[in-house]
Amino acid sequence: MAVKLTEFSDSLPQTDDFRSIVLKQTPLIDVRAPVEFAQGAFVSASNLPLMNDEERQKVGLCYKQHGNAAAVKLGHQLVNESVREPRVQAWSKFMEQHPEAMLYCFRGGMRSKIAQQWLADSGHDIVRLKGGYKAFRRYLIDFLEAFPNLLIQQDIQPLVLAGRTGSGKTLVIQQIEQAIDLEGIAHHRGSAFGRHATPQPTQINFENRLAMALMRFIENPTRHLVIEDEGRNIGSVSMSKPLFDALKSGQRIIVDTPLAERIQITFQEYVLEAQQEYPQITDWVEFMRAALSRIQKRLGGERYQRVLKQFEQAWDLQVRTGETYGHEAWIKTLLTEYYDPMYDYQMQKHTHSICFKGSREAVVEFLNTL
């Protein structure tokens, strides 16, 4: 006889030790519908739903019109034996690959209990998250809100890595342990041209990832937290003002890189690497044209036309010969005539104490001695 949707045991194990889940990066099964998962989830979670979007919508509508009993009955009809079996198999396969896995639904209620019971019936014991996604998400948000005070309590001093565009700040961040890569978490390079070919995380997912990264960071004994000099907004995602102010409150470390090297760093990242991200290189070209258009007013008419012409000439050269060096011309113009004046203005407007200035190599050495 098939197990009905309401036949589950309340004695099945559950946990709300979210800190341990973050620190161990425990694999999670998210049994919510795909549409819910897309709105917000956790880095270590895989979406293996109990009901798909259409089934969830039908059950939800039935619940509103006819009540809980009718909705449960409809759910049982939709997720019948033939539908249920491959979903249980998917959960079981995940558990075989990740024996320490846990599962959750939105509130830790019926959906996760059903999945947990069905797994138990198939010989796989799994722990579900008490309070589900909602409780875990609340835990992470509370941590982000408390983090500014945690910096003070644990005597962790923020250090802000500054420098002109193209100076290689991200390269420094990637070489030191006491750093948080905000651009990496946001999946954005932090400029008008910083979008990747694949989408940024949602605001919810950005906050979840940032909270987890910071939580793991403070577990390691350190007196400094190094971040790159970012704005509150990184592409389409943003930090809360209290958190942003706390992270940006520290002294500045300036990465001082010669222009020729800055051009090459920018060329490598925004041309060579960026072109590799796109299935069709023409998609990259259209993105770059759109990005230039977005800063047209700030560039001014004459400079915009000049940069655009340099870009089109570089692209034409690449199409005809396969050579990419032509892109260095428009990069140099943007760095010297657009980004450098903007950087100088910001440094004059917001005066901060500078504790070190040097080349990338010198900065890495300085930070590793702290």
Side-chain angles (χ1 to χ4, degrees):
M1 182 178 177
V3 178
K4 293 184 179 181
L5 292 180
T6 51
E7 292 179 1
F8 49 76
S9 171
D10 284 331
S11 65
L12 294 171
Q14 54 183 327
T15 184
D16 58 2
D17 186 0
F18 301 126
R19 176 176 173 274
S20 176
I21 293 171
V22 171
L23 299 183
K24 294 179 181 178
Q25 302 185 57
T26 304
L28 300 170
I29 298 174
D30 186 325
V31 300
R32 297 175 303 157
V35 66
E36 297 173 278
F37 185 84
Q39 291 170 353
F42 308 113
V43 177
S44 62
S46 296
N47 189 212
L48 300 172
L50 174 71
M51 293 187 292
N52 62 32
D53 291 338
E54 183 180 2
E55 292 161 352
R56 172 179 173 270
Q57 185 179 31
K58 288 179 179 179
V59 170
L61 184 62
C62 181
Y63 175 83
K64 290 180 180 178
Q65 294 177 343
H66 306 291
N68 182 66
V72 170
K73 183 178 179 180
L74 177 60
H76 180 47
Q77 293 170 355
L78 292 173
V79 189
N80 54 42
E81 187 73 25
S82 61
V83 173
R84 174 164 64 93
E85 187 58 31
R87 296 179 187 180
V88 175
Q89 289 178 0
W91 299 333
S92 300
K93 182 179 179 181
F94 189 90
M95 287 198 66
E96 289 166 3
Q97 296 170 341
H98 310 282
E100 73 279 25
M102 300 178 183
L103 66 75
Y104 65 90
C105 63
F106 183 63
R107 291 187 178 88
M110 184 173 291
R111 283 184 291 178
S112 57
K113 289 180 181 179
I114 291 167
Q116 189 180 28
Q117 183 66 62
W118 286 354
L119 275 168
D121 294 341
S122 68
H124 293 87
D125 294 326
I126 192 170
V127 177
R128 76 177 187 273
L129 302 194
K130 187 176 182 179
Y133 169 82
K134 187 176 182 181
F136 195 177
R137 162 74 175 162
R138 183 69 260 169
Y139 174 80
L140 295 175
I141 290 300
D142 289 345
F143 176 83
L144 284 180
E145 291 176 352
F147 190 76
N149 288 330
L150 286 176
L151 288 176
I152 298 172
Q153 292 169 8
Q154 299 194 21
D155 193 26
I156 298 174
Q157 302 172 21
L159 293 173
V160 182
L161 199 63
R164 298 183 185 276
T165 300
S167 59
K169 298 184 291 293
T170 300
L171 298 176
V172 173
I173 291 289
Q174 293 169 348
Q175 292 182 67
I176 57 177
E177 293 184 2
Q178 67 271 35
I180 293 292
D181 184 1
L182 295 174
E183 288 187 357
I185 296 171
H187 191 53
H188 195 279
R189 299 185 186 94
S191 74
F193 303 89
R195 194 186 75 192
H196 289 277
T198 50
Q200 286 190 255
T202 63
Q203 177 66 27
I204 290 173
N205 282 345
F206 170 70
E207 292 168 351
N208 290 345
R209 294 176 188 182
L210 180 59
M212 290 181 177
L214 292 172
M215 196 177 300
R216 287 191 286 267
F217 177 87
I218 64 171
E219 286 300 308
N220 300 315
T222 181
R223 290 193 59 241
H224 299 91
L225 168 58
V226 182
I227 63 160
E228 193 170 335
D229 193 8
E230 298 285 354
R232 270 186 67 191
N233 301 314
I234 309 175
S236 61
V237 299
S238 63
M239 292 174 277
S240 70
K241 189 176 186 306
L243 177 61
F244 174 76
D245 290 343
L247 293 176
K248 294 293 288 287
S249 64
Q251 292 181 303
R252 265 50 180 173
I253 297 172
I254 308 296
V255 183
D256 191 10
T257 306
L259 176 61
E261 194 174 345
R262 291 168 54 213
I263 292 171
Q264 289 306 309
I265 291 172
T266 307
F267 171 72
Q268 175 68 31
E269 186 174 1
Y270 285 79
V271 177
L272 299 184
E273 293 177 9
Q275 288 184 2
Q276 292 298 315
E277 291 184 8
Y278 288 82
Q280 301 292 331
I281 195 171
T282 51
D283 293 336
W284 172 81
V285 175
E286 290 307 310
F287 162 71
M288 291 299 295
R289 287 170 178 157
L292 281 170
S293 179
R294 284 194 293 272
I295 63 171
Q296 180 177 354
K297 287 185 178 180
R298 283 178 282 169
L299 280 172
E302 183 276 330
R303 188 181 294 115
Y304 168 73
Q305 292 298 331
R306 181 154 45 90
V307 173
L308 182 61
K309 182 178 180 180
Q310 289 174 327
F311 176 81
E312 297 297 349
Q313 288 174 337
W315 172 236
D316 179 65
L317 176 67
Q318 184 174 350
V319 170
R320 287 187 291 104
T321 68
E323 297 288 348
T324 55
Y325 65 84
H327 292 288
E328 295 174 12
W330 61 263
I331 290 173
K332 180 179 181 180
T333 301
L334 280 178
L335 289 180
T336 58
E337 299 185 30
Y338 177 66
Y339 283 107
D340 284 0
M342 189 160 50
Y343 173 80
D344 292 338
Y345 172 76
Q346 290 297 329
M347 290 297 284
Q348 292 171 4
K349 182 179 178 182
H350 303 287
T351 56
H352 298 282
S353 173
I354 297 173
C355 64
F356 188 84
K357 181 177 181 179
S359 66
R360 286 203 320 280
E361 295 76 14
V363 167
V364 170
E365 183 178 357
F366 170 75
L367 289 171
N368 284 332
T369 61
L370 292 178

